[in-house]
Amino acid sequence: MNVYVMLKQTFDTEEKIVIANGKISEEGVKFVMNPYDEYAVEEAIRIKERFGGRIVVVSVGPQRASEALRTALAMGADEAVLISDDRISQDEYVVSEVLAAYLADKTYDVILGGHFSIDNGAGQVAVRLAELLHLPHVSSVIKLELSAGTAKAERDAEGNVELLEVSLPALFTAQQGLNEPRYPSLPGIMKAKRKPFQQLTLDDLSVTPEALIPKTSLIGLFLPPARQAGQILQGEMPEQAARLVELLRTQSKVI
């Protein structure tokens, strides 16, 4: 089985978001592998353990994304590819086009990715990529079983479960519950330093100029208003209820 895994590096979920000059400040911020992509890497490793093959992890992003790729190598991936170029925006349409150009001449049985990234939550890259590569795909997978030429996948469907069968090659995105990602071991970390790590730019790929034109643009970025202190209502219960209704009408305007 040849498995490719799409990765993205995101803010640590415990980081405080600071906006400066209309952008999220990255000063002193810790970055990690997107948590949903961790499930994808773990599933790729389990596929390799069962069927053999090779795992290639790929990221389109800044140079710092190499940290997330090396984490995947330490977990058990065989090879990493970083596509980094200032001409590539983080628009999902553009990223999917770049990934499609990279994968155009590759041989694969399975492509995996996270259900969405925790920074923008769009979840578009994988679906767009499947369309560009003319592959069947299943999103939000919580169970995946592979056999000769086919895959059975269970996907989370807003509290329900859908069971689908698709032919391989196919693309899947991992949802929480698919597996429990392993921690990189010390031997794995040492081996990761010797594994192939390829760095590419747009000059190494056949991407049309039109494919680099973003379909979306950032109009504004701001934090939500600070939460106001709560109020403790005084008096007997009927008085408190009347005061609460009044506040819901005049301040919250929900009734």
Side-chain angles (χ1 to χ4, degrees):
M1 286 279 185
N2 290 324
V3 183
Y4 281 78
V5 184
M6 301 170 290
L7 293 187
K8 186 176 184 181
Q9 189 187 49
T10 60
F11 266 47
D12 189 321
T13 53
E14 297 182 358
E15 286 288 344
K16 180 180 179 181
I17 303 298
V18 177
I19 295 179
N21 300 320
K23 295 182 179 180
I24 297 178
S25 174
E26 297 184 358
E27 184 176 355
V29 171
K30 179 183 177 181
F31 288 90
V32 297
M33 185 193 309
N34 178 49
Y36 288 92
D37 296 347
E38 289 188 61
Y39 299 119
V41 174
E42 174 64 29
E43 195 65 21
I45 296 170
R46 296 187 183 197
I47 291 172
K48 179 184 173 181
E49 289 172 344
R50 181 178 178 187
F51 298 100
R54 189 167 184 80
I55 302 169
V56 181
V57 288
V58 186
S59 183
V60 178
Q63 285 294 321
R64 59 171 167 75
S66 60
E67 301 168 4
L69 290 169
R70 294 197 183 280
T71 298
L73 291 175
M75 290 173 67
D78 299 295
E79 182 180 345
V81 178
L82 175 61
I83 306 172
S84 185
D85 197 305
D86 291 339
R87 293 170 288 178
I88 303 175
S89 74
Q90 287 302 299
D91 174 75
E92 287 80 8
Y93 164 78
V94 174
V95 173
S96 62
E97 289 281 354
V98 172
L99 285 170
Y102 167 74
L103 290 165
D105 60 350
K106 303 297 186 294
T107 300
Y108 44 79
D109 299 287
V110 173
I111 299 176
L112 292 166
H115 176 41
F116 62 84
S117 60
I118 61 172
D119 49 5
N120 61 20
Q124 292 189 38
V125 171
V127 177
R128 288 179 177 274
L129 178 61
E131 181 71 16
L132 291 169
L133 296 177
H134 307 291
L135 293 176
H137 77 275
V138 184
S139 299
S140 194
V141 171
I142 55 176
K143 185 177 181 180
L144 183 61
E145 296 180 355
L146 305 181
S147 57
T150 61
K152 291 183 178 179
E154 293 183 11
R155 67 179 300 270
D156 178 36
E158 299 183 358
N160 296 309
V161 176
E162 291 181 352
L163 176 61
L164 299 97
E165 182 172 308
V166 296
S167 59
L168 298 179
L171 184 149
F172 307 91
T173 63
Q175 173 64 289
Q176 184 177 9
L178 175 61
N179 52 50
E180 186 64 35
R182 67 194 67 189
Y183 288 101
S185 64
L186 181 58
I189 294 172
M190 299 305 294
K191 290 178 182 178
K193 298 178 180 180
R194 301 189 297 271
K195 291 181 178 179
F197 194 110
Q198 187 178 19
Q199 298 201 42
L200 304 175
T201 68
L202 285 176
D203 297 329
D204 302 304
L205 305 173
S206 298
V207 183
T208 64
E210 292 77 14
L212 298 175
I213 301 175
K215 297 295 185 182
T216 58
S217 60
L218 181 62
I219 302 300
L221 186 65
F222 51 88
L223 293 172
R227 183 177 296 179
Q228 298 180 354
Q231 298 185 44
I232 299 177
L233 302 180
Q234 304 294 332
E236 299 296 328
M237 288 301 296
E239 296 174 323
Q240 292 184 33
R243 178 59 177 161
L244 176 60
V245 171
E246 179 186 354
L247 292 173
L248 292 174
R249 283 176 175 166
T250 60
Q251 291 188 10
S252 303
K253 300 187 184 301
V254 296
I255 60 174

